[in-house]
Amino acid sequence: MAERSTAAVDVADNSGDQSLTAQADQSTADGVAKNREQDTNSDAAQENTGTDGSGKTPPLELHSGHKLARRYRLEECVTRLDGFSSWRAVDEKLRRAVGVHILPAHHSRARSVLAAARSSALLGDPRFVQVLDAVEEDDVVYVVHEWLPDATELTALLAAGPLEAYDAYQMTSQISSAMAAAHREGLSHLRLNPNAVLRTSTGQWRIRGLAVNAALRGIDSDTPQRTDTESVGALLYAALTQRWPYESDAYGLSGLPKDIGLIPPDQVRAGVHRGLSELAMRALANDGATASRHESPCTSPEELVKAIGEMPRIRPPEPAFTTPPDYQRTTYQQGSYGRPASRPGARVTQQPAPVPPPPLQSRTGKALKWAVSALLIAALGLGSWQLADALIDQNGNAGDTNKTQTTDEDDKSGDKPKPAEPLTIQGAQEYVATGGAQAPGDVAKTYDNDSETYWRTKKYNEGPTLAPYKPGVGIVYDLGSAKKISSASIGLRYTGDHTTVHLYATDSLTPSTGVDGMKEIATGTTSSESLDVKASEAVTSRYVLLWITAVPNAPADGYSSAGYKQAITDLKFTG
């Protein structure tokens, strides 16, 4: 049997420090859903040895307001375990919130934490919470990472109930794809649990603590791919059942009954999607589970991605329409308009009829009546004249064969085609098919209405076609809701032979399928600084992938040397 995953290790961890577990559970119960633990999880850590002979590394004397590198101001300590601490902080240079892990430079794990953080930072995959800095300074080692103000932990989501099938499918698909990409680069997580998985306000799932969380706790595995795959299976199991797939309780979830073993999710809760239930069992098969009768267990994230791709795609639920409130019924019989219907036996109070105002009898009133009458007569006369004039024009036009007809059948019926309207971009995320990202922090510069700012690709030695280095590079844009997309105007930084751009309709900011599984909207090629692409037929989608497959040979600049590259300055969609 392969080594137990980090999911099982976490259960053992929880029994090691009841006070921390209770604190984490209480935090979830109180609804502290967003970023309460943007750093490491506050469940108990494994037993480990420090460097002072007492079995623990003495904690650093840190407090709110302390600054690291005269830049990172500590705000709130969210975790303090085994000689290291994790904080919510402020990067005063860039004026943004960040997370910081801190431990003494002489800590037994300091070297491995630094190495893990630097390896994770090199990956640059936007599906992971990014490591921004990893430094050893003044006898202190600290790791700075992103802080996501709009993200909610899976722990908090499951506290409210199991996920819908579509949400569970999206979570598993996105996390499996991200972990497969990480393992291709030689990186593993080993502590992939509900506290390490976040859902942003746009519906994207992101993973924090890649390599770093395990290094902070000294966790290792001889079978890292199997370990991370089982962890994804445990996440899916919990998302479908609101139960942790082991006997011990963890992450605010109840464990399975003792002496029963690991039973499929669709036997734990009614209405669970059968395909997702079998997928969870295939991922958990090495730890006492029974795999599907028809399929073999999944032993790596890559195999899990393949299994998800072979499943029938799960569609999002139809939007629920709210029933309008019951308005007061009215009856139109004489004397009852606007009154509520009387109930049998109820005493009805007769309301007196309103008394009309007396007629105008004064000299002023008579003059006003004559003035109103004159205006009505004039209006009727003007209307009659205009009607007659229109009829004459119509008859004259009908007999005039020299005039060019410019109105089609749609215009005659009043259904004129609507002019193209600009579509507002609500958000964007770099799409990484293989390898590393390009410039994930600059995607917003492509739609900030500033032609001086841009998102850029890496420099490639051969071109203009990016393959075989990469199948392509690009950005997925979120339009906020499903919109008809008919064209796009793209501003480019570099000219030359040549730039090729494709537009695809996709299902999320982190698509569940590759480019081959997306619907193409339009494509275009140019050698100039702008490119307009137009669809032969408008396509409706909330998410649009701009996919670059060829780039020109451009000179050196402040970012890279001469080579094949491109940058997008401005992008506008119309529909």
Side-chain angles (χ1 to χ4, degrees), residues 255-407:
L256 297 178
K258 298 183 184 298
D259 303 324
I260 292 182
L262 187 55
I263 56 177
D266 57 359
Q267 295 181 22
V268 176
R269 189 176 71 89
V272 169
H273 189 279
R274 179 67 181 275
L276 292 177
S277 177
E278 291 188 355
L279 186 67
M281 296 301 284
R282 292 179 65 185
L284 285 164
N286 80 309
D287 194 36
T290 302
S292 165
R293 293 188 299 271
H294 309 291
E295 303 290 348
S296 60
C298 296
T299 59
S300 70
E302 201 75 59
E303 291 181 4
L304 198 54
V305 170
K306 183 179 179 181
I308 293 170
E310 293 171 350
M311 287 178 55
R313 188 174 174 185
I314 299 176
R315 299 290 180 180
E318 294 293 331
F321 295 97
T322 57
T323 304
D326 292 334
Y327 292 99
Q328 176 177 298
R329 296 177 179 272
T330 57
T331 54
Y332 291 86
Q333 291 88 355
Q334 183 178 5
S336 63
Y337 174 74
R339 300 178 191 170
S342 60
R343 300 185 300 273
R347 184 175 181 180
V348 179
T349 303
Q350 185 70 30
Q351 298 292 332
V355 179
L360 296 174
Q361 297 296 339
S362 63
R363 186 175 300 174
T364 303
K366 291 181 180 180
L368 182 59
K369 285 193 294 184
W370 281 110
V372 172
S373 299
L375 287 173
L376 289 174
I377 293 171
L380 289 172
L382 179 62
S384 300
W385 175 77
Q386 289 179 333
L387 178 61
D389 188 56
L391 291 173
I392 293 172
D393 284 347
Q394 183 176 356
N395 291 334
N397 290 339
D400 188 356
T401 59
N402 294 325
K403 293 185 178 180
T404 302
Q405 185 164 334
T406 59
T407 306

Side-chain angles (χ1 to χ4, degrees), residues 58-274:
L60 294 170
E61 294 297 328
L62 299 172
H63 55 81
S64 297
H66 183 91
K67 285 188 183 180
L68 298 171
R70 298 182 180 180
R71 175 175 179 175
Y72 303 111
R73 186 180 74 248
L74 304 183
E75 294 285 322
E76 178 188 9
C77 182
V78 294
T79 305
R80 194 183 297 274
L81 295 170
D82 286 349
F84 74 86
S85 58
S86 300
W87 295 74
R88 176 177 59 83
V90 174
D91 181 349
E92 293 186 335
K93 184 176 181 179
L94 297 180
R95 298 182 180 179
R96 63 179 178 181
V98 293
V100 184
H101 303 302
I102 307 172
L103 67 165
H106 62 267
H107 195 288
S108 59
R109 301 179 195 142
R111 303 275 74 76
S112 60
V113 169
L114 272 177
R118 289 166 180 170
S119 299
S120 178
L122 289 175
L123 180 64
D125 191 320
R127 293 171 291 191
F128 295 92
V129 174
Q130 298 293 296
V131 171
L132 306 174
D133 210 351
V135 179
E136 180 178 357
E137 182 181 69
D138 297 333
D139 297 325
V140 174
V141 168
Y142 60 90
V143 176
V144 182
H145 63 82
E146 284 183 293
W147 185 275
L148 306 179
D150 67 335
T152 306
E153 290 180 0
L154 179 60
T155 309
L157 296 174
L158 294 181
L163 300 185
E164 295 289 340
Y166 176 75
D167 292 330
Y169 169 79
Q170 284 293 321
M171 179 198 71
T172 309
S173 175
Q174 294 180 28
I175 291 176
S176 300
S177 298
M179 290 310 306
H183 278 280
R184 285 194 294 268
E185 300 297 326
L187 292 171
S188 54
H189 196 290
L190 306 184
R191 276 189 63 82
L192 194 56
N193 54 48
N195 286 334
V197 176
L198 309 171
R199 185 173 70 181
T200 67
S201 59
T202 60
Q204 177 195 7
W205 294 89
R206 298 187 68 178
I207 303 169
R208 68 181 173 205
L210 177 67
V212 176
N213 280 5
L216 283 167
R217 290 167 170 80
I219 297 174
D220 199 0
S221 173
D222 294 331
T223 55
Q225 294 208 33
R226 175 61 256 177
T227 297
D228 283 341
T229 304
E230 184 183 340
S231 296
V232 178
L235 293 173
L236 175 57
Y237 196 104
L240 296 173
T241 64
Q242 203 184 11
R243 299 288 292 267
W244 192 237
Y246 303 96
E247 290 185 353
S248 300
D249 299 346
Y251 311 108
L253 302 173
S254 299
L256 297 178
K258 298 183 184 298
D259 303 324
I260 292 182
L262 187 55
I263 56 177
D266 57 359
Q267 295 181 22
V268 176
R269 189 176 71 89
V272 169
H273 189 279
R274 179 67 181 275

